[in-house]
mmCIF file of all heavy atoms in Angstrom:
data_model
loop_
_atom_site.group_PDB
_atom_site.id
_atom_site.type_symbol
_atom_site.label_atom_id
_atom_site.label_comp_id
_atom_site.label_asym_id
_atom_site.label_seq_id
_atom_site.Cartn_x
_atom_site.Cartn_y
_atom_site.Cartn_z
ATOM 1 N N ALA D 168 4.781 9.236 -16.908
ATOM 2 C CA ALA D 168 5.684 10.157 -17.475
ATOM 3 C C ALA D 168 6.530 10.758 -16.473
ATOM 4 O O ALA D 168 5.994 11.186 -15.343
ATOM 5 C CB ALA D 168 4.999 11.180 -18.359
ATOM 6 N N HIS D 169 7.798 10.933 -16.692
ATOM 7 C CA HIS D 169 8.737 11.490 -15.736
ATOM 8 C C HIS D 169 9.461 12.594 -16.597
ATOM 9 O O HIS D 169 10.453 12.260 -17.394
ATOM 10 C CB HIS D 169 9.688 10.535 -15.125
ATOM 11 C CG HIS D 169 10.526 11.044 -13.937
ATOM 12 N ND1 HIS D 169 10.897 10.157 -12.969
ATOM 13 C CD2 HIS D 169 11.088 12.236 -13.657
ATOM 14 C CE1 HIS D 169 11.608 10.825 -12.092
ATOM 15 N NE2 HIS D 169 11.759 12.149 -12.499
ATOM 16 N N ARG D 170 9.106 13.833 -16.423
ATOM 17 C CA ARG D 170 9.681 14.923 -17.308
ATOM 18 C C ARG D 170 10.372 15.886 -16.439
ATOM 19 O O ARG D 170 9.856 16.388 -15.398
ATOM 20 C CB ARG D 170 8.533 15.606 -18.100
ATOM 21 C CG ARG D 170 7.767 14.607 -18.986
ATOM 22 C CD ARG D 170 6.848 15.362 -19.926
ATOM 23 N NE ARG D 170 6.042 14.363 -20.659
ATOM 24 C CZ ARG D 170 4.747 14.457 -20.831
ATOM 25 N NH1 ARG D 170 4.108 15.504 -20.414
ATOM 26 N NH2 ARG D 170 4.170 13.512 -21.534
ATOM 27 N N ASN D 171 11.681 16.180 -16.739
ATOM 28 C CA ASN D 171 12.410 17.197 -16.137
ATOM 29 C C ASN D 171 12.570 18.267 -17.160
ATOM 30 O O ASN D 171 12.749 18.049 -18.349
ATOM 31 C CB ASN D 171 13.832 16.724 -15.726
ATOM 32 C CG ASN D 171 13.727 15.709 -14.600
ATOM 33 O OD1 ASN D 171 12.935 14.785 -14.559
ATOM 34 N ND2 ASN D 171 14.694 15.778 -13.733
ATOM 35 N N PRO D 172 12.634 19.627 -16.718
ATOM 36 C CA PRO D 172 12.783 20.614 -17.730
ATOM 37 C C PRO D 172 14.114 20.627 -18.478
ATOM 38 O O PRO D 172 14.160 20.906 -19.671
ATOM 39 C CB PRO D 172 12.633 21.985 -16.883
ATOM 40 C CG PRO D 172 12.817 21.609 -15.459
ATOM 41 C CD PRO D 172 12.502 20.091 -15.375
ATOM 42 N N SER D 173 15.178 20.239 -17.715
ATOM 43 C CA SER D 173 16.484 20.146 -18.351
ATOM 44 C C SER D 173 17.414 19.407 -17.320
ATOM 45 O O SER D 173 17.076 19.144 -16.193
ATOM 46 C CB SER D 173 17.148 21.513 -18.579
ATOM 47 O OG SER D 173 17.264 22.201 -17.330
ATOM 48 N N ARG D 216 17.264 19.208 -27.866
ATOM 49 C CA ARG D 216 17.685 19.942 -26.670
ATOM 50 C C ARG D 216 18.630 18.862 -25.898
ATOM 51 O O ARG D 216 19.296 19.405 -24.959
ATOM 52 C CB ARG D 216 16.542 20.182 -25.796
ATOM 53 C CG ARG D 216 15.698 21.371 -26.355
ATOM 54 C CD ARG D 216 14.336 21.585 -25.545
ATOM 55 N NE ARG D 216 14.591 21.550 -24.085
ATOM 56 C CZ ARG D 216 15.132 22.496 -23.335
ATOM 57 N NH1 ARG D 216 15.516 23.650 -23.862
ATOM 58 N NH2 ARG D 216 15.178 22.324 -21.988
ATOM 59 N N GLU D 240 7.460 7.171 -19.958
ATOM 60 C CA GLU D 240 8.141 8.122 -20.763
ATOM 61 C C GLU D 240 9.158 8.856 -19.877
ATOM 62 O O GLU D 240 8.779 9.562 -18.929
ATOM 63 C CB GLU D 240 7.160 9.083 -21.342
ATOM 64 C CG GLU D 240 7.814 10.205 -22.015
ATOM 65 C CD GLU D 240 6.903 11.476 -22.214
ATOM 66 O OE1 GLU D 240 5.686 11.266 -22.520
ATOM 67 O OE2 GLU D 240 7.437 12.586 -22.042
ATOM 68 N N ASN D 242 11.774 11.883 -20.025
ATOM 69 C CA ASN D 242 11.882 13.025 -20.998
ATOM 70 C C ASN D 242 12.608 14.153 -20.150
ATOM 71 O O ASN D 242 11.819 14.876 -19.476
ATOM 72 C CB ASN D 242 10.533 13.388 -21.514
ATOM 73 C CG ASN D 242 10.580 14.466 -22.508
ATOM 74 O OD1 ASN D 242 11.592 15.090 -22.731
ATOM 75 N ND2 ASN D 242 9.454 14.716 -23.108
ATOM 76 N N VAL D 243 13.927 14.182 -20.146
ATOM 77 C CA VAL D 243 14.546 15.097 -19.117
ATOM 78 C C VAL D 243 14.996 16.451 -19.723
ATOM 79 O O VAL D 243 15.763 17.114 -19.155
ATOM 80 C CB VAL D 243 15.740 14.423 -18.535
ATOM 81 C CG1 VAL D 243 15.224 13.182 -17.706
ATOM 82 C CG2 VAL D 243 16.746 13.993 -19.613
ATOM 83 N N ASN D 244 14.458 16.746 -20.959
ATOM 84 C CA ASN D 244 14.732 18.083 -21.453
ATOM 85 C C ASN D 244 13.404 18.746 -22.028
ATOM 86 O O ASN D 244 13.437 19.323 -23.088
ATOM 87 C CB ASN D 244 15.720 18.005 -22.660
ATOM 88 C CG ASN D 244 17.101 17.868 -22.223
ATOM 89 O OD1 ASN D 244 17.795 18.761 -21.678
ATOM 90 N ND2 ASN D 244 17.630 16.615 -22.307
ATOM 91 N N CYS D 245 12.375 18.488 -21.277
ATOM 92 C CA CYS D 245 10.995 18.895 -21.777
ATOM 93 C C CYS D 245 10.804 20.374 -21.789
ATOM 94 O O CYS D 245 9.783 20.925 -22.340
ATOM 95 C CB CYS D 245 9.880 18.145 -21.034
ATOM 96 S SG CYS D 245 9.468 18.954 -19.422
ATOM 97 N N ASP D 246 11.589 21.152 -21.098
ATOM 98 C CA ASP D 246 11.650 22.656 -21.092
ATOM 99 C C ASP D 246 10.605 23.284 -20.240
ATOM 100 O O ASP D 246 10.838 24.226 -19.544
ATOM 101 C CB ASP D 246 11.551 23.099 -22.634
ATOM 102 C CG ASP D 246 11.819 24.539 -22.676
ATOM 103 O OD1 ASP D 246 12.790 24.994 -21.934
ATOM 104 O OD2 ASP D 246 11.084 25.350 -23.463
ATOM 105 N N TYR D 247 9.372 22.738 -20.336
ATOM 106 C CA TYR D 247 8.267 23.582 -19.711
ATOM 107 C C TYR D 247 8.108 23.399 -18.152
ATOM 108 O O TYR D 247 7.362 24.123 -17.547
ATOM 109 C CB TYR D 247 6.974 23.248 -20.378
ATOM 110 C CG TYR D 247 6.375 21.894 -20.159
ATOM 111 C CD1 TYR D 247 5.610 21.625 -19.088
ATOM 112 C CD2 TYR D 247 6.687 20.879 -21.118
ATOM 113 C CE1 TYR D 247 5.047 20.302 -18.863
ATOM 114 C CE2 TYR D 247 6.170 19.577 -20.882
ATOM 115 C CZ TYR D 247 5.339 19.288 -19.811
ATOM 116 O OH TYR D 247 4.880 18.027 -19.478
ATOM 117 N N GLY D 248 8.786 22.407 -17.570
ATOM 118 C CA GLY D 248 8.587 22.221 -16.101
ATOM 119 C C GLY D 248 8.838 20.857 -15.769
ATOM 120 O O GLY D 248 9.344 19.973 -16.442
ATOM 121 N N TYR D 249 8.627 20.522 -14.397
ATOM 122 C CA TYR D 249 8.788 19.254 -13.882
ATOM 123 C C TYR D 249 7.417 18.580 -13.744
ATOM 124 O O TYR D 249 6.504 18.983 -13.038
ATOM 125 C CB TYR D 249 9.383 19.317 -12.474
ATOM 126 C CG TYR D 249 9.772 18.061 -11.790
ATOM 127 C CD1 TYR D 249 10.910 17.415 -12.204
ATOM 128 C CD2 TYR D 249 8.968 17.480 -10.835
ATOM 129 C CE1 TYR D 249 11.345 16.214 -11.504
ATOM 130 C CE2 TYR D 249 9.373 16.345 -10.147
ATOM 131 C CZ TYR D 249 10.556 15.664 -10.543
ATOM 132 O OH TYR D 249 10.899 14.583 -9.997
ATOM 133 N N ASP D 250 7.154 17.523 -14.634
ATOM 134 C CA ASP D 250 5.820 16.993 -14.838
ATOM 135 C C ASP D 250 5.871 15.567 -14.593
ATOM 136 O O ASP D 250 6.464 14.779 -15.299
ATOM 137 C CB ASP D 250 5.416 17.296 -16.264
ATOM 138 C CG ASP D 250 3.883 17.143 -16.465
ATOM 139 O OD1 ASP D 250 3.169 16.974 -15.499
ATOM 140 O OD2 ASP D 250 3.497 17.277 -17.599
ATOM 141 N N ILE D 251 5.230 15.093 -13.614
ATOM 142 C CA ILE D 251 5.129 13.738 -13.136
ATOM 143 C C ILE D 251 3.744 13.219 -13.291
ATOM 144 O O ILE D 251 2.810 13.722 -12.721
ATOM 145 C CB ILE D 251 5.621 13.445 -11.620
ATOM 146 C CG1 ILE D 251 6.954 14.091 -11.391
ATOM 147 C CG2 ILE D 251 5.487 12.069 -11.193
ATOM 148 C CD1 ILE D 251 8.109 13.455 -12.165
ATOM 149 N N ARG D 252 3.536 12.148 -14.120
ATOM 150 C CA ARG D 252 2.220 11.646 -14.445
ATOM 151 C C ARG D 252 2.087 10.189 -14.183
ATOM 152 O O ARG D 252 3.145 9.430 -14.375
ATOM 153 C CB ARG D 252 1.861 11.901 -15.873
ATOM 154 C CG ARG D 252 1.853 13.394 -16.183
ATOM 155 C CD ARG D 252 1.505 13.633 -17.551
ATOM 156 N NE ARG D 252 1.514 15.051 -17.805
ATOM 157 C CZ ARG D 252 0.771 15.733 -18.630
ATOM 158 N NH1 ARG D 252 -0.077 15.006 -19.394
ATOM 159 N NH2 ARG D 252 0.751 16.976 -18.801
ATOM 160 N N ASN D 266 -2.707 16.439 -9.738
ATOM 161 C CA ASN D 266 -1.727 17.489 -9.786
ATOM 162 C C ASN D 266 -1.742 18.232 -8.392
ATOM 163 O O ASN D 266 -2.841 18.590 -7.986
ATOM 164 C CB ASN D 266 -2.105 18.520 -10.913
ATOM 165 C CG ASN D 266 -0.973 19.538 -11.157
ATOM 166 O OD1 ASN D 266 -0.363 20.074 -10.160
ATOM 167 N ND2 ASN D 266 -0.752 19.724 -12.369
ATOM 168 N N VAL D 280 -3.428 25.130 -14.960
ATOM 169 C CA VAL D 280 -2.744 25.069 -13.587
ATOM 170 C C VAL D 280 -1.312 25.302 -13.850
ATOM 171 O O VAL D 280 -0.764 25.001 -14.915
ATOM 172 C CB VAL D 280 -3.003 23.735 -12.889
ATOM 173 C CG1 VAL D 280 -4.399 23.567 -12.424
ATOM 174 C CG2 VAL D 280 -2.538 22.588 -13.731
ATOM 175 N N ARG D 281 -0.507 25.713 -12.843
ATOM 176 C CA ARG D 281 0.821 25.875 -12.839
ATOM 177 C C ARG D 281 1.601 24.556 -12.901
ATOM 178 O O ARG D 281 1.038 23.633 -12.352
ATOM 179 C CB ARG D 281 1.401 26.795 -11.722
ATOM 180 C CG ARG D 281 0.950 28.177 -11.739
ATOM 181 C CD ARG D 281 1.707 29.003 -10.712
ATOM 182 N NE ARG D 281 1.267 30.409 -10.815
ATOM 183 C CZ ARG D 281 0.240 30.886 -10.228
ATOM 184 N NH1 ARG D 281 -0.546 30.141 -9.466
ATOM 185 N NH2 ARG D 281 -0.024 32.158 -10.338
ATOM 186 N N VAL D 282 2.684 24.492 -13.573
ATOM 187 C CA VAL D 282 3.585 23.336 -13.554
ATOM 188 C C VAL D 282 4.746 23.537 -12.616
ATOM 189 O O VAL D 282 5.356 24.611 -12.634
ATOM 190 C CB VAL D 282 4.099 22.883 -14.957
ATOM 191 C CG1 VAL D 282 4.948 21.640 -14.908
ATOM 192 C CG2 VAL D 282 2.981 22.935 -15.972
ATOM 193 N N PRO D 283 5.029 22.619 -11.682
ATOM 194 C CA PRO D 283 6.135 22.867 -10.727
ATOM 195 C C PRO D 283 7.458 23.027 -11.479
ATOM 196 O O PRO D 283 7.646 22.443 -12.521
ATOM 197 C CB PRO D 283 6.134 21.491 -9.885
ATOM 198 C CG PRO D 283 4.850 20.906 -10.096
ATOM 199 C CD PRO D 283 4.367 21.305 -11.346
ATOM 200 N N ALA D 284 8.354 23.718 -10.878
ATOM 201 C CA ALA D 284 9.663 24.038 -11.618
ATOM 202 C C ALA D 284 10.635 22.775 -11.491
ATOM 203 O O ALA D 284 11.352 22.487 -12.459
ATOM 204 C CB ALA D 284 10.380 25.187 -10.991
ATOM 205 N N ASP D 285 10.575 22.168 -10.420
ATOM 206 C CA ASP D 285 11.567 21.003 -10.243
ATOM 207 C C ASP D 285 11.042 20.070 -9.047
ATOM 208 O O ASP D 285 9.907 20.309 -8.538
ATOM 209 C CB ASP D 285 12.953 21.590 -9.821
ATOM 210 C CG ASP D 285 12.978 22.366 -8.552
ATOM 211 O OD1 ASP D 285 12.005 22.287 -7.784
ATOM 212 O OD2 ASP D 285 13.924 23.084 -8.330
#
Side-chain angles (χ1 to χ4, degrees):
H169 191 146
R170 300 187 187 137
N171 292 41
S173 62
R216 289 172 43 78
E240 170 200 322
N242 180 352
V243 295
N244 283 287
C245 81
D246 193 39
Y247 69 87
Y249 187 77
D250 197 5
I251 302 298
R252 297 179 180 214
N266 189 317
V280 291
R281 291 188 177 86
V282 181
D285 61 17

